[in-house]
Amino acid sequence: MLDQRSSNIITVKAHTNIALIKYWGKRNESLFLPMNSSLSLTLDQFYTMTTVQFCKGLNEDVFIFNKAIAGEAETKKVSKFLNRIRKMAGSELHAIVKSINKVPTAAGFASSASGYAALAAAAAKAIGLDVNQTVLSQIARQGSGSASRSIFGGFVEWKKGLKDDGSDCYSLQIAGEQYWDIRILSVLLTTEEKLVSSREGMKRTVETSPFYQEWVLEAEKDLQEAKTAIKERNFERLGRVAEANALKMHATTLGANPPFLYWQPGTLAVVNQVQRLRNTGIPAYFTIDAGPNVKVLCLPENEQVIKEKLLSVPGVRDILVCHPGPGVTYTSDSI
Ligand code: DP6
């Protein structure tokens, strides 16, 4: 019986992912069931490393984030998530959780994706749950939807499922990280916290935007197009649909009540530069999450020239070049 003693210390590294077909809207908020299926690429540059140990004699969960004791609100979120895992395992032990985040938080880089993917994988293993990656994707989803996709490397589809209990809602890898060498340039404009979180933004959009129903229909069509493009390794085809899908997602926010927009002047300046590059025959496509920063898809041979052009855009502070990255990995590195 696990509760008679403390668990092993388990450390997991999980990477962020960028959605090429966006998840935008929930059909069930407490189970994190999405309205539409989505598709992402896991990235090699940004990650979270998390260590979990369930300890006998501990009265509450302890959360240490970036080497400092986390605040009450953050610790509560971790505890709420661990409660789901404790319930699955039939355990009442509390845990010491240590996390290091190598992701610029809350600026359109999905730190919650790598965060909950790492926490799900580490906590499940520490508590002794014998689960495969499909089930892990379902557990991670209940911390943050996009975390479901970060369980896997490379190109990942998150199936929305139809059932009320979420049993047919999970992620799966459609192509591994070695499959296709494309690049994502992460263009950093700001590290300021955004005004409307993705959680609040998608909720408001589902409830009030007259464009929302169309979004759901379009997203399903875009997903099929993106899967075909990946199968063919057709870069233009994938870039076109990813860019169009991001624009449709952002269009729904303009119709919400009250309306909102994640873009800043620098966002549009980068978008214009990408379009100019394309007009000169250089294939580059943008995508934007729930924040002002832009990610640009390109091929390795054009990485340098695109990077230089984008660095000259006013407001651009930095560019990080990402490659397709791996899924969750267990490690013995200590943090
Ligand atoms: C725009 O996964 O952060 O990045 O499930 O409420 O935690 P919650 O939302 P989250 O939303 C991500 C939204 C997005 C698109 C995407 O990653 O698919």
Side-chain angles (χ1 to χ4, degrees), residues 19 21-24 26 32 112 143-146 149 198-199 202 249 289-290:
I21 305 300
K22 307 294 183 191
Y23 144 53
W24 195 240
K26 297 182 182 67
F32 290 73
S112 62
S144 184
S146 52
R149 300 184 307 238
S198 44
R199 191 159 301 176
M202 65 175 79
M249 180 202 113
D289 276 346

Side-chain angles (χ1 to χ4, degrees), residues 178-197:
Q178 308 296 340
Y179 172 76
W180 192 6
D181 187 19
I182 65 170
R183 301 288 147 85
I184 303 281
L185 307 188
S186 264
V187 184
L188 188 64
L189 293 157
T190 173
T191 49
E192 275 169 35
E193 294 262 343
K194 55 203 175 195
L195 294 176
V196 185
S197 69

Side-chain angles (χ1 to χ4, degrees), residues 10-17 41-51 98-103 110-123 133 136 140 146-153 325-331 333 335:
I10 303 293
T11 303
V12 169
K13 189 174 181 183
H15 290 77
T16 62
N17 66 78
L41 180 62
T42 303
L43 303 178
D44 66 338
Q45 286 292 317
F46 309 128
Y47 63 86
T48 304
M49 232 162 102
T50 295
T51 292
K98 291 184 200 164
S99 266
I100 301 272
N101 222 14
K102 297 283 184 201
V103 188
S111 61
S112 62
S114 55
Y116 280 106
L119 182 59
Q133 286 191 310
L136 266 188
S146 52
S148 167
R149 300 184 307 238
S150 273
I151 296 297
F152 298 94
V328 288
T329 47
Y330 296 87
T331 149
D333 297 353
I335 59 170

